[in-house]
Amino acid sequence: MELRSTLVRLHLRGLDGPQALDRLLDKLDWSAQTRYRLLTGELLPEAKPFCTTGFNLLGEAREHYLAGDRDEALWLHFVATLLGWDRPDSAHRFLRVLGGGQRATWDQMAGNQADTLGRLEANAKELMREAPFGNHRKYETHVGERGSIRVLRSFLEWSDGSPARRIDQIIDGTRDAEHAFERLYNSFDVYRFGRTARYDFARLLANVDARLKPGRCYLQGASGPRRGAALLFLGRSWARDIEIPLLEERCRELAFACGVDLQVIEDSICQWQKAAPSAHAQRTSRDLARAL
């Protein structure tokens, strides 16, 4: 069934006119593009480099993961989450500062923490200009007590020498991919990584590791996705905590009806509630299923 007809048939309270419906279709298209590019390793359409280097952080992470170099892949996923996946150039500069001119690898981080963290501390103020944070990380800093150096120390401590081995230990014995995702999300105890960062890190990994799959949108503790779900399903811009399970169930129903992963729903309802059209959407809604 054509996606527009599907959405109309669902009688979603927030779709109170053709503009709201068109906007949701646009956001579903846009989010499906992002999902597709994550799965194929292409540079994301929302990447906003402040200069052009052609560095595709997530594409390289995917190649490392599929080649079996999981620690390096997870290190790159972490850096993408730390700085924001819409800032590949920031990640490029950040890694070169850590590596003293060469891009810092996981082996360098794990084997020579003092030097790499020392370079970060010495260049923190310059990095605020040269490696700014992306949209999801706009309140973060490289400088001071709550800066990137403390975040890196926290990730190194959490990893305990190997992020791949740490994740294997966390998800060992889980009953399915959704349970594994849940356990990783709840166990990713890294400084300054709240709901959004933990979800972003876990879903980046889920795109290359079939053992992981989100089973909900993690609306508790969210801002944009929670507001979007409340608007879409309740017809108002807020939701009580007691209503979150209902909203999660409605998100699952919407994902099933549209034939998309919950990642697409979480992202699209967040973008939809901002009421702005996607700048570079390249597919129409009836082509959406081909991206999944």
Side-chain angles (χ1 to χ4, degrees), residues 25-280:
L25 287 167
D26 171 63
K27 297 309 179 185
L28 284 165
D29 285 345
W30 182 250
S31 298
Q33 284 189 44
T34 297
R35 166 80 169 145
Y36 178 75
R37 294 194 183 200
L38 284 170
L39 289 171
T40 58
E42 298 178 31
L43 189 64
L44 293 179
E46 63 265 50
K48 303 170 186 174
F50 56 90
C51 68
T52 302
T53 65
F55 178 50
N56 184 358
L57 179 68
L58 295 178
E60 290 199 17
R62 179 179 181 274
E63 290 177 6
H64 280 289
Y65 206 91
L66 295 179
D69 190 2
R70 294 170 58 219
D71 280 337
E72 182 64 19
L74 289 166
W75 163 239
L76 295 178
H77 278 140
F78 169 74
V79 173
T81 309
L82 168 63
L83 292 165
W85 55 1
D86 52 346
R87 285 292 186 180
D89 278 20
S90 289
H92 182 263
R93 293 186 180 214
F94 184 80
L95 288 168
R96 290 184 69 86
V97 166
L98 287 178
Q102 302 295 319
R103 275 191 288 165
T105 65
W106 172 252
D107 287 341
Q108 285 179 287
M109 290 301 303
N112 198 358
Q113 295 183 30
D115 284 349
T116 53
L117 294 179
R119 283 190 285 268
L120 173 57
E121 188 172 22
N123 292 276
K125 291 183 179 178
E126 293 176 2
L127 281 172
M128 289 301 296
R129 297 189 303 272
E130 297 179 358
F133 293 88
N135 180 56
H136 281 182
R137 306 293 290 166
K138 56 190 174 185
Y139 300 114
E140 301 308 307
T141 181
H142 295 299
V143 180
E145 175 60 25
R146 68 177 187 88
S148 296
I149 187 168
R150 184 173 174 184
V151 180
L152 282 181
R153 285 198 180 107
S154 180
F155 178 69
L156 289 163
E157 182 178 350
W158 178 86
S159 300
D160 193 25
S162 170
R165 183 176 62 243
R166 181 81 169 95
I167 289 173
D168 289 345
Q169 293 168 348
I170 288 170
I171 68 176
D172 181 46
T174 51
R175 58 182 176 270
D176 55 31
E178 293 181 1
H179 185 207
F181 188 100
E182 180 89 6
R183 187 177 287 180
L184 174 59
Y185 173 87
N186 289 327
S187 302
F188 196 59
D189 185 20
V190 173
Y191 179 69
R192 298 295 300 176
F193 272 51
R195 178 268 172 199
T196 300
R198 284 184 289 138
Y199 178 81
D200 278 351
F201 179 80
R203 78 164 174 150
L204 288 178
L205 181 54
N207 287 314
V208 294
D209 192 327
R211 299 176 301 169
L212 299 163
K213 181 181 180 180
R216 57 189 178 96
C217 289
Y218 293 83
L219 300 176
Q220 190 70 46
S223 53
R226 178 170 174 156
R227 184 175 187 274
L231 282 168
L232 187 60
F233 300 120
L234 302 177
R236 48 179 157 84
S237 62
W238 54 274
R240 295 183 292 268
D241 287 349
I242 197 173
E243 294 173 307
I244 295 301
L246 169 64
L247 293 178
E248 292 283 10
E249 181 59 30
R250 295 300 306 275
C251 286
R252 284 189 287 269
E253 292 172 356
L254 180 60
F256 180 79
C258 295
V260 300
D261 189 279
L262 272 168
Q263 288 188 42
V264 174
I265 299 301
E266 189 270 351
D267 183 55
S268 60
I269 62 175
C270 178
Q271 300 303 320
W272 172 78
Q273 58 89 24
K274 296 177 182 177
S278 299
H280 306 292

